[in-house]
Amino acid sequence: MVMNRRAISLLSGGLDSLLATKLVLEQGVEVIGLHFTSPFCTCSKGRKGCGIQAVRSARELGIEIVVENKGMDYMRIVESPKYGYGRQMNPCIDCRIYMLKKAKELMIERNCSFVITGEVLDQRPMSQRFGLMRLIEKEAGLQGRVLRPLSGKLLPPTLPEMEGIVERERFLAVRGKGRKVQYERVRSYGLKEFSCPGGGCLLTDPAFSKRVKDLFVHQKDYTLQDVFLLKIGRHIRIDREVKFIVGRNRTENETLKSIRRPTDVLLTPVGFKGPSALVVGKVNPEILRLGATVMAHYAKYRFLSVTVESEGLENRVWTFAKVDFDFERFII
């Protein structure tokens, strides 16, 4: 592939990728941003978050941006990563390979010749050590075509450097987790549109990883909506076929109501303040009674009435007495 002055930049919406892109733009290279939305981003609020920030970053830089969702193809990687997990369910190496492969596809489609990332040498132990960077490039089929301007002076020359597309001397020599140099440089450029320095991934969280494992074990035919639900409420696994998701506040109660599927049952309080509960899986009267018991526990009621909403059941008010059930040991 002949080198040219066009590149794809992985633009996360954070500090590092913004600065890395700027360092290449100022050398006269045409750059197209590529952002991936993820159900596991800790920067996200609901379904928004870094995706919005990445668009703002691209606007400030004056570049086009392509936004791509990490879909079920990505979830299959999370289920069974070739290079394994970190301390929890984070498949960092395989995740970087996935994104670079997608970047390569866009690079070819848009007649670009290399990829820019905001990676910093030794900033993240699972994917930003030198040997792993080389492995990831090889697996993505991008040997010599991944430019990391923030650590450019510390890394071997890339093809765009060797062919005179960019000047190596104009890059930085940042290493490790500190971001003092990056902050000083963005201030000198007058850049302001960035957030979540360092970013974050829910797959590194032990409690959330437990929910992900439970999903993989008990819902083989899960969807992206099931993945989204992992971030909402209290999750209580009753048995292999039934799970309760209990809202923790009004916003979560409304979310559970808005995304209920035909196969789910929604329990909502009648005449008292308390949480709603979504029942996922096979339902019978005893399961509904247990669901109402969970709601009663958090509402501190002994007897309660709930509205049962489901495609397979008549939508009406059911009254239950609280039963003895040690549900807290089933919380995931």
Side-chain angles (χ1 to χ4, degrees), residues 190-202:
L191 298 173
K192 299 179 180 179
E193 287 294 350
F194 59 89
S195 65
C196 304
C201 177
L202 284 168

Side-chain angles (χ1 to χ4, degrees), residues 77-324:
I77 291 172
V78 178
E79 282 187 60
S80 182
K82 178 179 179 180
Y83 291 99
Y85 300 106
R87 291 184 178 180
Q88 301 303 326
M89 293 290 286
N90 48 310
C92 299
I93 297 173
D94 293 85
C95 180
R96 295 302 299 181
I97 293 169
Y98 171 88
M99 290 191 290
L100 285 179
K101 283 183 175 180
K102 294 290 185 179
K104 181 182 178 182
E105 293 174 5
L106 185 63
M107 184 185 81
I108 294 171
E109 176 187 329
R110 302 297 287 270
N111 189 31
C112 299
S113 58
F114 61 99
V115 175
I116 307 159
T117 82
E119 293 172 289
V120 171
L121 187 62
D122 295 334
Q123 188 181 79
R124 298 190 180 189
M126 261 208 80
S127 62
Q128 294 181 17
R129 298 199 306 270
F130 176 67
L132 291 175
M133 287 177 171
R134 298 293 293 271
L135 170 67
I136 290 166
E137 283 185 24
K138 181 179 179 181
E139 286 285 341
L142 284 169
Q143 298 97 316
R145 292 181 183 270
V146 180
L147 189 62
R148 302 174 174 93
L150 301 187
S151 298
K153 290 181 178 179
L154 302 176
L155 298 170
T158 58
L159 288 174
E161 293 170 87
M162 291 188 288
E163 297 199 13
I165 303 297
V166 293
E167 297 177 20
R168 180 179 179 84
E169 294 73 21
R170 298 175 68 176
F171 295 144
L172 307 182
V174 181
R175 187 171 199 159
K177 296 183 178 181
R179 286 188 167 80
K180 180 180 178 181
V181 173
Q182 292 98 306
Y183 276 116
E184 289 175 350
R185 186 59 70 95
V186 294
R187 279 196 293 267
S188 71
Y189 286 134
L191 298 173
K192 299 179 180 179
E193 287 294 350
F194 59 89
S195 65
C196 304
C201 177
L202 284 168
L203 292 173
T204 64
D205 179 79
F208 187 81
S209 291
K210 186 178 178 181
R211 292 185 178 186
V212 175
K213 291 177 183 177
D214 177 85
L215 179 71
F216 291 165
V217 169
H218 295 107
Q219 291 179 244
K220 299 298 185 181
D221 57 346
Y222 69 89
T223 66
L224 288 177
Q225 181 162 309
D226 291 303
V227 178
F228 173 72
L229 281 169
L230 297 179
K231 298 191 286 187
I232 299 175
R234 303 175 180 89
H235 287 235
I236 303 169
R237 169 65 62 184
I238 299 302
D239 58 35
R240 293 183 60 86
E241 297 182 323
V242 181
K243 178 172 72 172
F244 299 149
I245 304 175
V246 185
R248 292 172 293 194
N249 51 51
R250 180 179 296 178
T251 299
E252 291 191 343
N253 289 342
E254 290 299 318
T255 300
L256 292 176
K257 182 177 181 179
S258 68
I259 64 177
R260 180 182 68 83
R261 296 162 296 193
T263 54
D264 300 330
V265 175
L266 180 69
L267 305 180
T268 54
V270 176
F272 69 96
K273 292 183 179 180
S276 296
L278 197 66
V279 186
V280 179
K282 292 186 177 181
V283 176
N284 58 46
E286 182 57 29
I287 291 296
L288 295 180
R289 184 179 298 278
L290 289 178
T293 292
V294 172
M295 296 167 66
H297 171 82
Y298 289 111
K300 297 180 173 58
Y301 275 78
R302 184 70 187 175
F303 298 92
L304 74 163
S305 296
V306 299
T307 298
V308 178
E309 298 181 42
S310 170
E311 296 298 320
L313 296 170
E314 181 183 354
N315 291 355
R316 63 183 179 87
V317 175
W318 293 34
T319 300
F320 297 100
K322 185 177 178 181
V323 298
D324 291 330

